[in-house]
């Protein structure tokens, strides 16, 4: 019936308002979800998995919906949940572990959850610093994936029930704690900017040298993602906000020399 999603959204809101924190229950349910994901996915294999695709995120979604939401997340999305919710991995997200988007221009509204495969796969290597996500220690890549996904599910719940979401607001923090025992809303995954500083002592604003087509060029680091964006002064280049002209180069960190 046409009213089913509306009824499910109301039921989801009632369930969220009646939450009471239970750290032991949350931990046990999250372990069940993680174990089910490893058992059901044909590619993950272990908590140190090296491949992640959207279908694995759907397995996570259904596991969490079953264990934490009583099926109400799927019901609230309506008869075609995959038409209203897109789950994807991103190799281009280099600072955020995940993000949730709300597309309000369509009717009904649509949503997207993206998880940073870049951060997951560039962390958990020998010598890396311990990882915390949402205030919880994450000894494995699977733990980090779950904590990131949990955070995004809280955003989805808020958007479905209340139409807006912010992890800076008390309601978000209350829900995240009551549902998943989160103690914070940030991650300590090593980002490209942190690695650039730790391994090469490079950061935005640093003046650098590098070789390009047999020439030694000098510029400054404008941005750091997977590579460094270096701006080199050149009269033929694009004019920037400082009124000077630069040509932009994307340079691997190891190819840069501090001036």
């Amino acid at each position: 019936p046409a009213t089913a999603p509306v009824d499910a959204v109301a039921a989801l809101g009632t369930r969220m308002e009646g939450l009471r924190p239970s750290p032991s229950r949350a931990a046990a349910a999250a372990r069940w979800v993680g174990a089910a994901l490893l058992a059901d996915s044909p590619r993950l294999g272990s908590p140190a998995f090296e491949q992640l695709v959207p279908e694995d995120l759907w397995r996570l979604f259904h596991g969490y919906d079953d264990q934490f939401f009583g099926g109400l997340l799927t019901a609230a999305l309506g008869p075609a949940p995959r038409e209203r919710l897109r789950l994807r991995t991103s190799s281009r997200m280099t600072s955020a572990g995940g993000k949730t988007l709300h597309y309000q221009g369509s009717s009904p509204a649509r949503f997207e959850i993206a998880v940073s495969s870049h951060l997951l796969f560039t962390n958990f290597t020998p010598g890396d610093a311990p990882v915390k996500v949402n205030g919880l220690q994450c000894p494995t890549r699977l733990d980090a994936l779950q904590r990131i996904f949990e955070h995004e599910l809280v955003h989805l719940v808020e958007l479905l029930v209340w139409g807006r979401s912010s992890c800076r607001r008390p309601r978000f923090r209350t829900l995240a704690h009551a549902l998943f025992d989160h103690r914070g809303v940030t991650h300590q995954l090593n980002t490209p900017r942190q690695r650039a500083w730790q391994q090469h002592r490079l950061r935005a604003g640093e003046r650098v040298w590098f070789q390009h087509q047999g020439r030694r060029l000098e510029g400054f680091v404008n941005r750091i993602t997977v590579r460094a964006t270096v701006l080199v002064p050149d009269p033929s280049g694009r004019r920037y906000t400082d009124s000077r002209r630069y040509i932009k180069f994307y340079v691997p960190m190891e190819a840069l020399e501090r001036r």
Side-chain angles (χ1 to χ4, degrees):
T3 57
V6 176
D7 292 343
V9 167
L12 179 61
T14 300
R15 186 183 181 99
M16 294 302 98
E17 289 169 358
L19 285 175
R20 295 294 179 270
S22 177
S24 59
R25 194 267 172 194
R31 284 195 298 270
W32 184 94
V33 172
L37 173 63
L38 293 182
D40 294 343
S41 173
R43 64 190 60 77
L44 265 63
S46 80
F49 58 87
E50 296 182 353
Q51 186 181 3
L52 184 68
V53 300
E55 198 58 38
D56 295 318
L57 299 183
W58 277 108
R59 291 184 174 90
L60 265 187
F61 177 86
H62 291 302
Y64 276 105
D65 194 18
D66 175 69
Q67 290 294 302
F68 289 88
F69 302 100
L72 288 173
L73 273 182
T74 300
L77 289 168
R82 294 196 184 210
E83 292 182 8
R84 290 196 66 196
L85 175 64
R86 182 189 181 200
L87 301 179
R88 69 180 180 91
T89 62
S90 172
S91 61
R92 298 177 65 87
M93 291 168 53
T94 58
S95 58
K99 66 179 178 182
T100 299
L101 300 177
H102 184 198
Y103 301 103
Q104 303 180 67
S106 58
S107 182
R110 298 175 186 270
F111 311 92
E112 178 180 294
I113 293 176
V115 172
S116 173
S117 55
H118 175 85
L119 288 183
L120 285 173
F121 292 132
T122 55
N123 279 266
F124 302 99
T125 57
D128 274 353
V131 166
K132 267 189 178 182
V133 179
N134 304 323
L136 300 176
Q137 291 285 355
C138 294
T140 71
R141 189 168 288 142
L142 177 61
D143 291 306
L145 168 62
Q146 290 191 248
R147 302 298 83 78
I148 291 168
F149 199 72
E150 290 163 1
H151 181 98
E152 303 312 320
L153 286 180
V154 179
H155 279 304
L156 179 62
V157 168
E158 284 200 311
L159 291 171
L160 283 167
V161 176
W162 293 285
R164 61 181 61 186
S165 180
S166 171
C167 51
R168 298 184 181 90
R169 300 288 184 178
R171 182 180 62 205
F172 184 100
R173 293 169 182 260
T174 298
L175 288 175
H177 178 64
L179 279 165
F180 304 119
D181 193 35
H182 290 182
R183 287 85 181 276
V185 293
T186 59
H187 68 72
Q188 292 175 1
L189 292 158
N190 288 306
T191 66
R193 280 182 289 183
Q194 290 168 321
R195 289 184 183 278
W197 177 249
Q198 292 164 0
Q199 298 175 8
H200 306 285
R201 285 295 184 261
L202 291 171
R203 56 189 169 192
E206 202 83 44
R207 299 201 68 83
V208 291
W209 300 98
F210 65 98
Q211 295 290 331
H212 178 72
Q213 296 181 349
R215 294 189 300 154
R216 184 174 170 86
L217 301 181
E218 178 186 350
F220 70 91
V221 177
N222 184 54
R223 187 181 180 208
I224 292 174
T225 53
V226 178
R227 295 170 293 175
T229 302
V230 180
L231 298 184
V232 175
D234 191 294
S236 65
R238 173 188 163 193
R239 189 182 298 278
Y240 279 72
T241 54
D242 63 358
S243 298
R244 297 179 180 180
R245 293 184 179 274
Y246 301 93
I247 295 179
K248 183 189 298 183
F249 294 85
Y250 298 103
V251 188
M253 239 68 68
E254 59 272 16
L256 293 173
E257 177 186 344
R258 294 175 67 197
R259 185 174 178 273

